Amino acid sequence: MSVGLLWLIPMLPLLGFLALAATEGRLGERAVAVIGAGSVGLAALLAVPVTVGFFELPADTGFSQTLWVWLDVAGFRPAFTLYLDGLSLVMLWVITGVGFLIHLYATGYMSGDPGYSRFFAYMNLFVFAMLMLVLGNDLLVLYLGWEGVGLCSYLLIGFFQQDPANGYAARKAFVVTRIGDTAMALGLFLLFRELGTLEIQPLLGAATAAWPEGSATLTLAALLLLGGAVGKSAQLPLQTWLPDAMAGPTPVSALIHAATMVTAGVYLIARLHDLYLLAPVAQTAVALTGLATLFIAAFAALVQTDVKRILAYSTMSQIGYMFFALGVGAWSAAVFHLMTHAFFKALLFLSAGSLILALHHEQEVTRMGGLWRRLPWPFAGMLVGSAALAALPFTSGYFSKDAILLTAFDAPGGFWLWSVALLAALVTALYSVRLLVLVFFGQPRWQQSGREPRDRGGIAMRLPLAALSLLAIGGGWFGLSPVAAVLPDGGVGHGHGGWVMWATSATPLLGVLLGLLLFQRWGAVVARLGTSGGTRAVRRFWLSGWGFDWLYRQLIERPFVALARINRNDVVDRVFAALAGGALGVNGLLSATQTGRLRWYLANMAGGLALVLLIVLGVL
Amino acid sequence: MDLVLFYIAATVALVATVLVVTRSNAVHALIYLIVSLLAVAVIFFLLGAPFAAALEVVIYAGAIMVLFVFVVMMLNLGQRRSAPVHAWLRPRHWIGPGLLSLVLLLELTYLIFAGSGDTAGQVVGPQEVGRTLFGAYLLAVELASVLLLAALVGAYHLGRRYLRARYDEVES
Amino acid sequence: MTALSVPLSHVLALAATLFLIGLLGVLIRRNLIFLLMSLEIMLNAAGLAFIGAGARWGTADGQIMYMLILALAAAEVAVGLGLLLQLERRLGTLDVDAASELKG
């Protein structure tokens, strides 16, 4: 049966990785591109028969395919089983589909880089790990994928090895997500200890049976897993790594830090929704985390000057929307937003990549401007992407974000939740317009550098932009029926009439108008506002991502470094050094007995004789 | 009564030995040593070992001590060079070794007086000694002679360079 | 003439005392000549012990043992004095403490 081809989908990128790793850069660029992008493309292609076959199965069933048993120890028997249901099917399409488009783009973007083969090897490994994450039927396999994507993220952020700052950013990402990973591991331990299994379906069943709603152990486990999700998805309080992760190549930012890895947290919570339904405290925590993040990140994005950082904070904010949605019970809406966000954010990043390449690696918006005519492709891509981001009516982003906001309104305390999220949506529109205005309109500030912008994109780079543009606009019409079978809220609800819906739909338009006013018409005024007095302080505060880096430096880094400095001479090492010192001391003592003088030796012999006689006589 | 002879000879031996160890003049010490050896020879005689007594006098006191005297003469260790020797004989240097020797003395005397028995009270003459020596202890005799040969060669070798050097010194 | 019947313990006590006086001399005297002399005293004392033991049983073995010790003492003195001369030549002194190159 064609759905049985499921196992090939993760295996193809893995083979791609192995092939590229084994050849270690000896292949030419074309061969590498074929293997690297081709493996993911083939996987995407195979998703078609798999999907068709899946829909032929009776409804509401998942498809399991066991590859082999990982361990078999004392009844603990995790297996590499691939599980396909509506949720993982959607994720599969996002990863392979958008992934393939990004790989294709990267074949053009990374052309000429000496690490070309290494890049695609890492990217393929990433796709494999991400697929294992979403297809795994066992939380242990999920964790394997989880760690795998973390590793690839580290490798790819620090891809341009020559600059130590990139290594720092990579380490920062790794360490911060590690904190989340540790929380997640603790959560897994807790679940295993209480329920005896980590297989997802049996686990959810056992949890529902074993624990009453609101039980403390369950809430703890759910909160720990939330910790892991927060780290991987760059939400408060573990969000500080994402802006710095922009040091990686733009395709990496598109794939890992927009479309897939950062959405792994959303997937985790959606997958384990039963647990969260049983632990309302944890679910509220999810909502509040998402709400806080989306709010903070939106304002931070408003004042950034680096194109990629604007997009990074935007990603943070949008994932905040997804968490928010999960928290208020809009499960399907969250996954729907995940999908649409993958489309338009990847589009935005890839367009930004073309923009950056055209401007000879310039990333500061303050040195751009008036480029809409010279760089049509990046302009079109960013225009479409921004429209979807701002959730202008009938774009894909509109459908998904409005679903979230409308569901939020119906939740307890919904009015306030809705209004905060709506305000952030307004700001989203604002910063989207700001980005477009500063880059593509206005004074051609790029002329100061004296270099001509040249749109250097072959078909490899333009085709993905076109495809993603289509998806960003039209993707909203899919709805997400497969997901409805899995998630408890029965699909994305479109039904909510009244003034709420009008307000929600109109806000982005309002935001666009406001943005045009502020940044196009009164641009100079606003710019001056940002350089004087109180507003300058506010601006700098937002620019630094609400001061989290500073906070962590004071709270964690400084004390830790101070402690390490105190222990500079390593207490434990001292113990061993003391042993050596002791041995040397004894050596010194014994050497002192070797005076070289004959009479001393004779006296010792006589003394020994006396001692022996004393022993013989029984005195000693 | 005859036992008294033994005790007198023993006293002489002890006193003479103590004096050997405490003299600063090498020649004086040697003389006292010879006296001690003669006293011990008398004791041998009293114990019924006349051959051993004779050997003691002839070889020990007569040859070995003479060897010492030769060396002392060669090195001119007379009165002139005894001053530094005296300096090394401070009383406080005697404390440690003295203590050690005292301990050993106590132990040995305890062990000795734990045993019993008198000497046999018969003379074992040279004939008897000779028979036993070349009978049961023949191998020992051979070995002793080899030892003496080795000592002869060694002494010759060690002394030759010294004499050669002194000869050159005196001649030039 | 008959020999005396001396208590063996007395003879051995005398031997032990002479031995220890010799030991004292070896430990205290720094001049090599005196050291060798004290060594001779110790050897002699050992010989006395053997003669006493031989007299205890009335056999010739004690005297034979004594003769071997005598031969040994002679050999030792010959070589020892040769070494003494060499030492005096090289170090310029007869102080045994000066020959401590094996220190440490």
Short mmCIF file of all heavy atoms in Angstrom, two decimals, chain A residues 379-409:
data_model
loop_
_atom_site.label_atom_id
_atom_site.label_comp_id
_atom_site.label_asym_id
_atom_site.label_seq_id
_atom_site.Cartn_x
_atom_site.Cartn_y
_atom_site.Cartn_z
N PHE A 379 11.12 42.43 -3.78
CA PHE A 379 10.02 43.32 -3.40
C PHE A 379 8.69 42.57 -3.41
O PHE A 379 7.91 42.64 -2.46
CB PHE A 379 9.98 44.52 -4.35
CG PHE A 379 8.81 45.43 -4.11
CD1 PHE A 379 8.61 46.01 -2.87
CD2 PHE A 379 7.91 45.71 -5.12
CE1 PHE A 379 7.53 46.84 -2.64
CE2 PHE A 379 6.82 46.54 -4.91
CZ PHE A 379 6.63 47.11 -3.67
N ALA A 380 8.45 41.86 -4.49
CA ALA A 380 7.18 41.16 -4.60
C ALA A 380 7.05 40.13 -3.49
O ALA A 380 6.00 40.03 -2.83
CB ALA A 380 7.07 40.48 -5.97
N GLY A 381 8.13 39.39 -3.26
CA GLY A 381 8.08 38.37 -2.22
C GLY A 381 7.78 38.96 -0.87
O GLY A 381 6.92 38.47 -0.13
N MET A 382 8.49 40.05 -0.55
CA MET A 382 8.29 40.63 0.77
C MET A 382 6.92 41.28 0.87
O MET A 382 6.32 41.29 1.95
CB MET A 382 9.39 41.65 1.08
CG MET A 382 10.71 40.96 1.28
SD MET A 382 11.93 41.97 2.08
CE MET A 382 11.66 41.49 3.75
N LEU A 383 6.43 41.79 -0.21
CA LEU A 383 5.11 42.40 -0.18
C LEU A 383 4.06 41.35 0.15
O LEU A 383 3.24 41.53 1.06
CB LEU A 383 4.81 43.04 -1.55
CG LEU A 383 3.59 43.93 -1.63
CD1 LEU A 383 3.75 45.12 -0.70
CD2 LEU A 383 3.39 44.43 -3.07
N VAL A 384 4.09 40.26 -0.58
CA VAL A 384 3.12 39.18 -0.34
C VAL A 384 3.28 38.63 1.07
O VAL A 384 2.31 38.45 1.80
CB VAL A 384 3.30 38.06 -1.38
CG1 VAL A 384 2.43 36.88 -1.04
CG2 VAL A 384 2.99 38.57 -2.77
N GLY A 385 4.55 38.38 1.44
CA GLY A 385 4.79 37.82 2.77
C GLY A 385 4.31 38.73 3.87
O GLY A 385 3.71 38.29 4.85
N SER A 386 4.58 40.03 3.72
CA SER A 386 4.16 40.97 4.75
C SER A 386 2.65 41.05 4.84
O SER A 386 2.10 41.19 5.92
CB SER A 386 4.73 42.35 4.47
OG SER A 386 6.12 42.29 4.47
N ALA A 387 2.01 40.97 3.68
CA ALA A 387 0.55 41.01 3.70
C ALA A 387 0.00 39.84 4.49
O ALA A 387 -0.90 40.00 5.32
CB ALA A 387 0.02 40.98 2.26
N ALA A 388 0.58 38.66 4.25
CA ALA A 388 0.11 37.49 4.99
C ALA A 388 0.45 37.61 6.46
O ALA A 388 -0.33 37.23 7.33
CB ALA A 388 0.75 36.23 4.39
N LEU A 389 1.62 38.15 6.75
CA LEU A 389 2.05 38.31 8.13
C LEU A 389 1.09 39.23 8.87
O LEU A 389 0.70 38.98 10.00
CB LEU A 389 3.47 38.87 8.15
CG LEU A 389 4.06 39.26 9.51
CD1 LEU A 389 4.10 38.07 10.45
CD2 LEU A 389 5.45 39.82 9.32
N ALA A 390 0.76 40.32 8.22
CA ALA A 390 -0.12 41.28 8.87
C ALA A 390 -1.56 40.80 8.91
O ALA A 390 -2.41 41.43 9.51
CB ALA A 390 -0.04 42.62 8.15
N ALA A 391 -1.82 39.67 8.28
CA ALA A 391 -3.17 39.08 8.23
C ALA A 391 -4.16 39.99 7.53
O ALA A 391 -5.29 40.21 7.99
CB ALA A 391 -3.64 38.73 9.65
N LEU A 392 -3.72 40.52 6.39
CA LEU A 392 -4.66 41.28 5.58
C LEU A 392 -5.72 40.32 5.04
O LEU A 392 -5.43 39.16 4.81
CB LEU A 392 -3.92 41.94 4.41
CG LEU A 392 -2.97 43.08 4.80
CD1 LEU A 392 -2.33 43.67 3.57
CD2 LEU A 392 -3.71 44.15 5.57
N PRO A 393 -6.94 40.79 4.86
CA PRO A 393 -8.05 39.88 4.53
C PRO A 393 -7.75 38.99 3.34
O PRO A 393 -7.20 39.43 2.33
CB PRO A 393 -9.21 40.82 4.24
CG PRO A 393 -8.91 42.02 5.05
CD PRO A 393 -7.42 42.15 5.07
N PHE A 394 -8.12 37.73 3.52
CA PHE A 394 -8.09 36.69 2.49
C PHE A 394 -6.69 36.19 2.16
O PHE A 394 -6.53 35.36 1.27
CB PHE A 394 -8.83 37.10 1.21
CG PHE A 394 -10.23 37.52 1.50
CD1 PHE A 394 -10.61 38.84 1.34
CD2 PHE A 394 -11.15 36.60 1.99
CE1 PHE A 394 -11.90 39.22 1.64
CE2 PHE A 394 -12.45 37.00 2.29
CZ PHE A 394 -12.83 38.33 2.10
N THR A 395 -5.68 36.66 2.87
CA THR A 395 -4.40 35.97 2.77
C THR A 395 -4.47 34.77 3.71
O THR A 395 -5.38 34.66 4.52
CB THR A 395 -3.24 36.87 3.23
OG1 THR A 395 -3.53 37.34 4.54
CG2 THR A 395 -3.02 38.01 2.29
N SER A 396 -3.48 33.89 3.61
CA SER A 396 -3.51 32.70 4.46
C SER A 396 -3.39 33.08 5.93
O SER A 396 -4.06 32.51 6.79
CB SER A 396 -2.39 31.75 4.09
OG SER A 396 -1.14 32.41 4.22
N GLY A 397 -2.57 34.09 6.17
CA GLY A 397 -2.37 34.50 7.55
C GLY A 397 -3.65 35.04 8.17
O GLY A 397 -3.89 34.89 9.36
N TYR A 398 -4.47 35.63 7.33
CA TYR A 398 -5.75 36.17 7.81
C TYR A 398 -6.59 35.05 8.40
O TYR A 398 -7.09 35.17 9.53
CB TYR A 398 -6.47 36.86 6.65
CG TYR A 398 -7.92 37.14 6.90
CD1 TYR A 398 -8.31 38.18 7.73
CD2 TYR A 398 -8.90 36.34 6.32
CE1 TYR A 398 -9.64 38.43 7.95
CE2 TYR A 398 -10.23 36.59 6.55
CZ TYR A 398 -10.62 37.64 7.35
OH TYR A 398 -11.92 37.88 7.58
N PHE A 399 -6.73 33.98 7.68
CA PHE A 399 -7.60 32.90 8.15
C PHE A 399 -7.09 32.32 9.46
O PHE A 399 -7.86 32.11 10.40
CB PHE A 399 -7.70 31.80 7.09
CG PHE A 399 -8.52 32.19 5.91
CD1 PHE A 399 -7.93 32.37 4.67
CD2 PHE A 399 -9.89 32.40 6.04
CE1 PHE A 399 -8.69 32.75 3.59
CE2 PHE A 399 -10.65 32.78 4.95
CZ PHE A 399 -10.06 32.95 3.72
N SER A 400 -5.80 32.08 9.50
CA SER A 400 -5.28 31.40 10.70
C SER A 400 -5.28 32.34 11.91
O SER A 400 -5.72 31.96 12.99
CB SER A 400 -3.87 30.86 10.45
OG SER A 400 -3.03 31.88 9.98
N LYS A 401 -4.82 33.56 11.73
CA LYS A 401 -4.75 34.44 12.89
C LYS A 401 -6.14 34.80 13.39
O LYS A 401 -6.38 34.86 14.60
CB LYS A 401 -3.96 35.71 12.54
CG LYS A 401 -3.63 36.53 13.78
CD LYS A 401 -2.83 37.76 13.46
CE LYS A 401 -1.39 37.43 13.16
NZ LYS A 401 -0.59 38.64 12.95
N ASP A 402 -7.05 35.05 12.48
CA ASP A 402 -8.39 35.40 12.93
C ASP A 402 -9.03 34.24 13.68
O ASP A 402 -9.75 34.46 14.66
CB ASP A 402 -9.25 35.79 11.73
CG ASP A 402 -9.06 37.26 11.40
OD1 ASP A 402 -7.96 37.77 11.68
OD2 ASP A 402 -10.01 37.90 10.90
N ALA A 403 -8.77 33.01 13.22
CA ALA A 403 -9.32 31.86 13.93
C ALA A 403 -8.84 31.86 15.38
O ALA A 403 -9.60 31.62 16.31
CB ALA A 403 -8.87 30.57 13.25
N ILE A 404 -7.55 32.17 15.54
CA ILE A 404 -6.99 32.19 16.90
C ILE A 404 -7.67 33.27 17.74
O ILE A 404 -8.11 33.03 18.86
CB ILE A 404 -5.47 32.46 16.85
CG1 ILE A 404 -4.75 31.32 16.13
CG2 ILE A 404 -4.92 32.63 18.25
CD1 ILE A 404 -3.30 31.57 15.90
N LEU A 405 -7.72 34.48 17.17
CA LEU A 405 -8.26 35.60 17.95
C LEU A 405 -9.71 35.38 18.32
O LEU A 405 -10.13 35.66 19.44
CB LEU A 405 -8.10 36.90 17.16
CG LEU A 405 -6.65 37.39 17.06
CD1 LEU A 405 -6.54 38.55 16.09
CD2 LEU A 405 -6.15 37.81 18.42
N LEU A 406 -10.48 34.84 17.38
CA LEU A 406 -11.90 34.64 17.65
C LEU A 406 -12.09 33.58 18.72
O LEU A 406 -12.93 33.73 19.61
CB LEU A 406 -12.63 34.27 16.37
CG LEU A 406 -12.66 35.40 15.33
CD1 LEU A 406 -13.29 34.91 14.04
CD2 LEU A 406 -13.43 36.60 15.87
N THR A 407 -11.31 32.50 18.65
CA THR A 407 -11.42 31.47 19.69
C THR A 407 -11.03 32.02 21.05
O THR A 407 -11.62 31.66 22.07
CB THR A 407 -10.55 30.26 19.35
OG1 THR A 407 -10.64 29.98 17.97
CG2 THR A 407 -10.96 29.04 20.16
N ALA A 408 -10.00 32.90 21.03
CA ALA A 408 -9.55 33.47 22.29
C ALA A 408 -10.65 34.28 22.95
O ALA A 408 -10.80 34.29 24.17
CB ALA A 408 -8.33 34.35 22.05
N PHE A 409 -11.43 34.97 22.14
CA PHE A 409 -12.49 35.82 22.69
C PHE A 409 -13.47 35.00 23.52
O PHE A 409 -14.01 35.48 24.51
CB PHE A 409 -13.20 36.53 21.55
CG PHE A 409 -14.10 37.61 22.03
CD1 PHE A 409 -13.60 38.86 22.38
CD2 PHE A 409 -15.48 37.38 22.16
CE1 PHE A 409 -14.42 39.86 22.84
CE2 PHE A 409 -16.31 38.40 22.62
CZ PHE A 409 -15.80 39.63 22.96
#
